[in-house]
PDB file of all heavy atoms in Angstrom:
ATOM      1  N   GLY A  12      -9.963  27.552   0.283  1.00 98.00           N
ATOM      2  CA  GLY A  12     -11.233  27.961  -0.312  1.00 98.00           C
ATOM      3  C   GLY A  12     -11.875  26.764  -1.002  1.00 98.00           C
ATOM      4  O   GLY A  12     -11.434  25.618  -0.828  1.00 98.00           O
ATOM      5  N   GLN A  20     -11.234  16.645  -1.449  1.00 98.00           N
ATOM      6  CA  GLN A  20     -12.305  15.662  -1.671  1.00 98.00           C
ATOM      7  C   GLN A  20     -11.962  14.738  -2.844  1.00 98.00           C
ATOM      8  O   GLN A  20     -12.170  13.517  -2.764  1.00 98.00           O
ATOM      9  CB  GLN A  20     -13.614  16.385  -1.945  1.00 98.00           C
ATOM     10  CG  GLN A  20     -14.816  15.462  -2.047  1.00 98.00           C
ATOM     11  CD  GLN A  20     -16.063  16.229  -2.472  1.00 98.00           C
ATOM     12  OE1 GLN A  20     -16.043  16.983  -3.445  1.00 98.00           O
ATOM     13  NE2 GLN A  20     -17.138  16.045  -1.748  1.00 98.00           N
ATOM     14  N   LEU A  40      -4.996  32.554   6.500  1.00 98.00           N
ATOM     15  CA  LEU A  40      -5.885  33.158   7.502  1.00 98.00           C
ATOM     16  C   LEU A  40      -6.158  32.168   8.637  1.00 98.00           C
ATOM     17  O   LEU A  40      -6.026  30.960   8.452  1.00 98.00           O
ATOM     18  CB  LEU A  40      -7.223  33.539   6.847  1.00 98.00           C
ATOM     19  CG  LEU A  40      -7.215  34.716   5.873  1.00 98.00           C
ATOM     20  CD1 LEU A  40      -8.612  34.935   5.311  1.00 98.00           C
ATOM     21  CD2 LEU A  40      -6.700  35.985   6.545  1.00 98.00           C
ATOM     22  N   ILE A  58     -25.970  29.796  -0.567  1.00 96.00           N
ATOM     23  CA  ILE A  58     -24.721  29.455  -1.266  1.00 96.00           C
ATOM     24  C   ILE A  58     -23.669  28.993  -0.258  1.00 96.00           C
ATOM     25  O   ILE A  58     -22.836  28.139  -0.551  1.00 96.00           O
ATOM     26  CB  ILE A  58     -24.206  30.675  -2.088  1.00 96.00           C
ATOM     27  CG1 ILE A  58     -25.234  31.079  -3.140  1.00 96.00           C
ATOM     28  CG2 ILE A  58     -22.860  30.382  -2.735  1.00 96.00           C
ATOM     29  CD1 ILE A  58     -24.838  32.276  -4.013  1.00 96.00           C
ATOM     30  N   ILE A  99      -0.688  21.258  -4.310  1.00 98.00           N
ATOM     31  CA  ILE A  99      -1.766  21.793  -5.164  1.00 98.00           C
ATOM     32  C   ILE A  99      -2.055  23.233  -4.721  1.00 98.00           C
ATOM     33  O   ILE A  99      -2.483  23.473  -3.591  1.00 98.00           O
ATOM     34  CB  ILE A  99      -3.041  20.930  -5.077  1.00 98.00           C
ATOM     35  CG1 ILE A  99      -2.701  19.439  -5.324  1.00 98.00           C
ATOM     36  CG2 ILE A  99      -4.074  21.402  -6.104  1.00 98.00           C
ATOM     37  CD1 ILE A  99      -3.900  18.494  -5.244  1.00 98.00           C
ATOM     38  N   ILE A 106      -6.752  40.118  -6.362  1.00 96.00           N
ATOM     39  CA  ILE A 106      -6.522  41.550  -6.643  1.00 96.00           C
ATOM     40  C   ILE A 106      -7.509  41.985  -7.720  1.00 96.00           C
ATOM     41  O   ILE A 106      -7.616  41.338  -8.770  1.00 96.00           O
ATOM     42  CB  ILE A 106      -5.094  41.769  -7.184  1.00 96.00           C
ATOM     43  CG1 ILE A 106      -4.080  41.182  -6.212  1.00 96.00           C
ATOM     44  CG2 ILE A 106      -4.824  43.239  -7.427  1.00 96.00           C
ATOM     45  CD1 ILE A 106      -2.675  41.306  -6.714  1.00 96.00           C
ATOM     46  N   GLY A 107      -8.203  43.077  -7.466  1.00 97.00           N
ATOM     47  CA  GLY A 107      -9.159  43.571  -8.455  1.00 97.00           C
ATOM     48  C   GLY A 107      -8.429  44.135  -9.672  1.00 97.00           C
ATOM     49  O   GLY A 107      -7.436  44.852  -9.522  1.00 97.00           O
ATOM     50  N   GLU A 115      -9.011  57.098 -11.687  1.00 98.00           N
ATOM     51  CA  GLU A 115      -9.296  55.824 -11.015  1.00 98.00           C
ATOM     52  C   GLU A 115      -8.737  55.776  -9.590  1.00 98.00           C
ATOM     53  O   GLU A 115      -9.268  55.045  -8.744  1.00 98.00           O
ATOM     54  CB  GLU A 115      -8.710  54.673 -11.844  1.00 98.00           C
ATOM     55  CG  GLU A 115      -9.177  53.319 -11.385  1.00 98.00           C
ATOM     56  CD  GLU A 115      -8.728  52.202 -12.314  1.00 98.00           C
ATOM     57  OE1 GLU A 115      -7.839  52.426 -13.152  1.00 98.00           O
ATOM     58  OE2 GLU A 115      -9.276  51.092 -12.191  1.00 98.00           O
ATOM     59  N   PRO A 118      -9.783  59.277  -4.176  1.00 97.00           N
ATOM     60  CA  PRO A 118     -10.533  58.730  -3.038  1.00 97.00           C
ATOM     61  C   PRO A 118     -12.010  58.590  -3.416  1.00 97.00           C
ATOM     62  O   PRO A 118     -12.580  59.487  -4.039  1.00 97.00           O
ATOM     63  CB  PRO A 118     -10.338  59.798  -1.948  1.00 97.00           C
ATOM     64  CG  PRO A 118      -9.093  60.531  -2.332  1.00 97.00           C
ATOM     65  CD  PRO A 118      -9.035  60.501  -3.837  1.00 97.00           C
ATOM     66  N   TYR A 130     -17.150  44.171   3.575  1.00 98.00           N
ATOM     67  CA  TYR A 130     -18.443  43.877   4.219  1.00 98.00           C
ATOM     68  C   TYR A 130     -18.511  42.447   4.739  1.00 98.00           C
ATOM     69  O   TYR A 130     -19.319  42.133   5.593  1.00 98.00           O
ATOM     70  CB  TYR A 130     -19.655  44.263   3.354  1.00 98.00           C
ATOM     71  CG  TYR A 130     -19.885  43.558   2.020  1.00 98.00           C
ATOM     72  CD1 TYR A 130     -20.172  42.203   1.934  1.00 98.00           C
ATOM     73  CD2 TYR A 130     -19.876  44.290   0.833  1.00 98.00           C
ATOM     74  CE1 TYR A 130     -20.427  41.590   0.711  1.00 98.00           C
ATOM     75  CE2 TYR A 130     -20.122  43.691  -0.391  1.00 98.00           C
ATOM     76  CZ  TYR A 130     -20.396  42.331  -0.450  1.00 98.00           C
ATOM     77  OH  TYR A 130     -20.644  41.734  -1.663  1.00 98.00           O
ATOM     78  N   THR A 173     -30.109  40.099   9.908  1.00 98.00           N
ATOM     79  CA  THR A 173     -30.050  38.700  10.337  1.00 98.00           C
ATOM     80  C   THR A 173     -29.098  37.886   9.458  1.00 98.00           C
ATOM     81  O   THR A 173     -29.267  36.682   9.290  1.00 98.00           O
ATOM     82  CB  THR A 173     -31.453  38.064  10.325  1.00 98.00           C
ATOM     83  OG1 THR A 173     -32.018  38.302   9.026  1.00 98.00           O
ATOM     84  CG2 THR A 173     -32.355  38.661  11.390  1.00 98.00           C
ATOM     85  N   ASP A 224     -34.009  49.277 -18.727  1.00 98.00           N
ATOM     86  CA  ASP A 224     -34.729  49.882 -19.842  1.00 98.00           C
ATOM     87  C   ASP A 224     -35.340  48.762 -20.707  1.00 98.00           C
ATOM     88  O   ASP A 224     -34.616  47.981 -21.330  1.00 98.00           O
ATOM     89  CB  ASP A 224     -33.718  50.725 -20.637  1.00 98.00           C
ATOM     90  CG  ASP A 224     -34.339  51.378 -21.847  1.00 98.00           C
ATOM     91  OD1 ASP A 224     -35.535  51.137 -22.103  1.00 98.00           O
ATOM     92  OD2 ASP A 224     -33.612  52.126 -22.530  1.00 98.00           O
ATOM     93  N   LEU A 244     -31.736  30.951 -29.610  1.00 87.00           N
ATOM     94  CA  LEU A 244     -30.882  31.638 -28.626  1.00 87.00           C
ATOM     95  C   LEU A 244     -30.210  30.655 -27.679  1.00 87.00           C
ATOM     96  O   LEU A 244     -30.821  29.661 -27.281  1.00 87.00           O
ATOM     97  CB  LEU A 244     -31.748  32.560 -27.770  1.00 87.00           C
ATOM     98  CG  LEU A 244     -31.918  34.002 -28.185  1.00 87.00           C
ATOM     99  CD1 LEU A 244     -32.686  34.747 -27.104  1.00 87.00           C
ATOM    100  CD2 LEU A 244     -30.567  34.655 -28.384  1.00 87.00           C
ATOM    101  N   GLU A 260     -40.145  45.173 -16.575  1.00 96.00           N
ATOM    102  CA  GLU A 260     -41.599  45.386 -16.619  1.00 96.00           C
ATOM    103  C   GLU A 260     -42.249  45.438 -15.238  1.00 96.00           C
ATOM    104  O   GLU A 260     -43.423  45.795 -15.117  1.00 96.00           O
ATOM    105  CB  GLU A 260     -42.244  44.281 -17.467  1.00 96.00           C
ATOM    106  CG  GLU A 260     -41.880  44.459 -18.946  1.00 96.00           C
ATOM    107  CD  GLU A 260     -42.382  43.311 -19.824  1.00 96.00           C
ATOM    108  OE1 GLU A 260     -42.923  42.326 -19.262  1.00 96.00           O
ATOM    109  OE2 GLU A 260     -42.215  43.413 -21.055  1.00 96.00           O
ATOM    110  N   PHE A 274     -26.558  49.795 -19.748  1.00 98.00           N
ATOM    111  CA  PHE A 274     -25.683  49.012 -20.628  1.00 98.00           C
ATOM    112  C   PHE A 274     -25.046  49.920 -21.678  1.00 98.00           C
ATOM    113  O   PHE A 274     -25.379  51.108 -21.777  1.00 98.00           O
ATOM    114  CB  PHE A 274     -26.485  47.888 -21.281  1.00 98.00           C
ATOM    115  CG  PHE A 274     -26.957  46.875 -20.276  1.00 98.00           C
ATOM    116  CD1 PHE A 274     -28.255  46.911 -19.769  1.00 98.00           C
ATOM    117  CD2 PHE A 274     -26.087  45.907 -19.802  1.00 98.00           C
ATOM    118  CE1 PHE A 274     -28.681  45.990 -18.822  1.00 98.00           C
ATOM    119  CE2 PHE A 274     -26.497  44.978 -18.849  1.00 98.00           C
ATOM    120  CZ  PHE A 274     -27.808  45.028 -18.359  1.00 98.00           C
ATOM    121  N   GLU A 323      -7.210  39.273 -10.459  1.00 95.00           N
ATOM    122  CA  GLU A 323      -5.941  38.640 -10.841  1.00 95.00           C
ATOM    123  C   GLU A 323      -5.331  38.022  -9.589  1.00 95.00           C
ATOM    124  O   GLU A 323      -5.618  38.475  -8.485  1.00 95.00           O
ATOM    125  CB  GLU A 323      -4.959  39.685 -11.354  1.00 95.00           C
ATOM    126  CG  GLU A 323      -5.299  40.193 -12.723  1.00 95.00           C
ATOM    127  CD  GLU A 323      -4.367  41.304 -13.160  1.00 95.00           C
ATOM    128  OE1 GLU A 323      -3.668  41.884 -12.296  1.00 95.00           O
ATOM    129  OE2 GLU A 323      -4.356  41.579 -14.344  1.00 95.00           O
ATOM    130  N   ALA A 324      -4.438  37.052  -9.808  1.00 95.00           N
ATOM    131  CA  ALA A 324      -3.792  36.432  -8.650  1.00 95.00           C
ATOM    132  C   ALA A 324      -2.607  37.277  -8.198  1.00 95.00           C
ATOM    133  O   ALA A 324      -1.896  37.845  -9.023  1.00 95.00           O
ATOM    134  CB  ALA A 324      -3.318  35.038  -9.017  1.00 95.00           C
ATOM    135  N   VAL A 333       1.228  33.938 -15.478  1.00 96.00           N
ATOM    136  CA  VAL A 333       0.998  34.537 -16.794  1.00 96.00           C
ATOM    137  C   VAL A 333      -0.421  35.099 -16.778  1.00 96.00           C
ATOM    138  O   VAL A 333      -1.374  34.377 -16.455  1.00 96.00           O
ATOM    139  CB  VAL A 333       1.114  33.466 -17.911  1.00 96.00           C
ATOM    140  CG1 VAL A 333       0.857  34.094 -19.274  1.00 96.00           C
ATOM    141  CG2 VAL A 333       2.463  32.794 -17.889  1.00 96.00           C
ATOM    142  N   LYS A 336      -2.608  34.454 -13.742  1.00 97.00           N
ATOM    143  CA  LYS A 336      -2.881  33.067 -13.358  1.00 97.00           C
ATOM    144  C   LYS A 336      -1.546  32.334 -13.202  1.00 97.00           C
ATOM    145  O   LYS A 336      -0.547  32.728 -13.818  1.00 97.00           O
ATOM    146  CB  LYS A 336      -3.674  32.330 -14.446  1.00 97.00           C
ATOM    147  CG  LYS A 336      -5.030  32.899 -14.711  1.00 97.00           C
ATOM    148  CD  LYS A 336      -5.752  32.127 -15.794  1.00 97.00           C
ATOM    149  CE  LYS A 336      -5.373  32.634 -17.165  1.00 97.00           C
ATOM    150  NZ  LYS A 336      -6.185  32.055 -18.240  1.00 97.00           N
ATOM    151  N   TYR A 350       0.807  21.619  -8.731  1.00 98.00           N
ATOM    152  CA  TYR A 350      -0.422  21.608  -9.537  1.00 98.00           C
ATOM    153  C   TYR A 350      -1.252  22.813  -9.108  1.00 98.00           C
ATOM    154  O   TYR A 350      -0.996  23.409  -8.066  1.00 98.00           O
ATOM    155  CB  TYR A 350      -1.208  20.305  -9.306  1.00 98.00           C
ATOM    156  CG  TYR A 350      -0.403  19.088  -9.695  1.00 98.00           C
ATOM    157  CD1 TYR A 350       0.589  18.592  -8.839  1.00 98.00           C
ATOM    158  CD2 TYR A 350      -0.587  18.460 -10.918  1.00 98.00           C
ATOM    159  CE1 TYR A 350       1.360  17.501  -9.199  1.00 98.00           C
ATOM    160  CE2 TYR A 350       0.179  17.365 -11.287  1.00 98.00           C
ATOM    161  CZ  TYR A 350       1.151  16.901 -10.428  1.00 98.00           C
ATOM    162  OH  TYR A 350       1.918  15.832 -10.789  1.00 98.00           O
ATOM    163  N   ARG A 357      -7.345  28.867 -13.566  1.00 97.00           N
ATOM    164  CA  ARG A 357      -8.095  29.194 -14.785  1.00 97.00           C
ATOM    165  C   ARG A 357      -8.565  30.640 -14.855  1.00 97.00           C
ATOM    166  O   ARG A 357      -9.219  31.046 -15.807  1.00 97.00           O
ATOM    167  CB  ARG A 357      -9.289  28.234 -14.963  1.00 97.00           C
ATOM    168  CG  ARG A 357     -10.238  28.192 -13.817  1.00 97.00           C
ATOM    169  CD  ARG A 357     -11.472  27.335 -14.057  1.00 97.00           C
ATOM    170  NE  ARG A 357     -12.529  27.844 -13.218  1.00 97.00           N
ATOM    171  CZ  ARG A 357     -12.719  27.527 -11.960  1.00 97.00           C
ATOM    172  NH1 ARG A 357     -11.937  26.646 -11.372  1.00 97.00           N
ATOM    173  NH2 ARG A 357     -13.698  28.060 -11.266  1.00 97.00           N
ATOM    174  N   ASP A 369     -13.195  20.858 -11.705  1.00 98.00           N
ATOM    175  CA  ASP A 369     -11.817  21.285 -11.953  1.00 98.00           C
ATOM    176  C   ASP A 369     -10.867  20.439 -11.092  1.00 98.00           C
ATOM    177  O   ASP A 369      -9.858  19.893 -11.578  1.00 98.00           O
ATOM    178  CB  ASP A 369     -11.712  22.783 -11.593  1.00 98.00           C
ATOM    179  CG  ASP A 369     -10.446  23.436 -12.108  1.00 98.00           C
ATOM    180  OD1 ASP A 369      -9.692  22.772 -12.844  1.00 98.00           O
ATOM    181  OD2 ASP A 369     -10.203  24.607 -11.778  1.00 98.00           O
ATOM    182  N   ASP A 372     -10.523  16.798 -12.226  1.00 98.00           N
ATOM    183  CA  ASP A 372      -9.663  16.663 -13.420  1.00 98.00           C
ATOM    184  C   ASP A 372      -8.182  16.758 -13.046  1.00 98.00           C
ATOM    185  O   ASP A 372      -7.363  15.966 -13.515  1.00 98.00           O
ATOM    186  CB  ASP A 372      -9.989  17.768 -14.446  1.00 98.00           C
ATOM    187  CG  ASP A 372     -11.369  17.587 -15.056  1.00 98.00           C
ATOM    188  OD1 ASP A 372     -11.946  16.486 -14.906  1.00 98.00           O
ATOM    189  OD2 ASP A 372     -11.878  18.551 -15.662  1.00 98.00           O
ATOM    190  N   ASP A 380       0.760  11.085 -12.177  1.00 98.00           N
ATOM    191  CA  ASP A 380       2.178  11.467 -12.102  1.00 98.00           C
ATOM    192  C   ASP A 380       2.906  10.872 -10.903  1.00 98.00           C
ATOM    193  O   ASP A 380       4.129  10.999 -10.803  1.00 98.00           O
ATOM    194  CB  ASP A 380       2.311  12.999 -12.019  1.00 98.00           C
ATOM    195  CG  ASP A 380       1.832  13.701 -13.285  1.00 98.00           C
ATOM    196  OD1 ASP A 380       1.607  13.014 -14.302  1.00 98.00           O
ATOM    197  OD2 ASP A 380       1.665  14.944 -13.255  1.00 98.00           O
ATOM    198  N   ALA A 383       7.393   6.872  -6.554  1.00 95.00           N
ATOM    199  CA  ALA A 383       7.522   6.301  -5.197  1.00 95.00           C
ATOM    200  C   ALA A 383       7.250   7.385  -4.163  1.00 95.00           C
ATOM    201  O   ALA A 383       7.690   8.526  -4.332  1.00 95.00           O
ATOM    202  CB  ALA A 383       8.928   5.756  -5.017  1.00 95.00           C
ATOM    203  N   ALA A 415     -22.372  30.716  18.121  1.00 98.00           N
ATOM    204  CA  ALA A 415     -23.049  30.946  19.414  1.00 98.00           C
ATOM    205  C   ALA A 415     -23.311  32.445  19.610  1.00 98.00           C
ATOM    206  O   ALA A 415     -24.369  32.834  20.117  1.00 98.00           O
ATOM    207  CB  ALA A 415     -22.202  30.396  20.559  1.00 98.00           C
ATOM    208  N   ASN A 438      -8.689  29.861  21.392  1.00 95.00           N
ATOM    209  CA  ASN A 438      -7.873  29.626  22.592  1.00 95.00           C
ATOM    210  C   ASN A 438      -6.383  29.521  22.293  1.00 95.00           C
ATOM    211  O   ASN A 438      -5.633  28.850  22.995  1.00 95.00           O
ATOM    212  CB  ASN A 438      -8.338  28.359  23.332  1.00 95.00           C
ATOM    213  CG  ASN A 438      -9.791  28.469  23.749  1.00 95.00           C
ATOM    214  OD1 ASN A 438     -10.208  29.504  24.285  1.00 95.00           O
ATOM    215  ND2 ASN A 438     -10.579  27.458  23.445  1.00 95.00           N
TER     216      ASN A 438
END
Side-chain angles (χ1 to χ4, degrees):
Q20 186 186 50
L40 289 179
I58 299 180
I99 309 179
I106 305 177
E115 191 173 15
Y130 64 65
T173 52
D224 178 357
L244 267 186
E260 290 174 355
F274 294 99
E323 286 176 344
V333 179
K336 297 180 275 188
Y350 300 79
R357 57 175 206 275
D369 194 6
D372 292 345
D380 294 348
N438 301 314

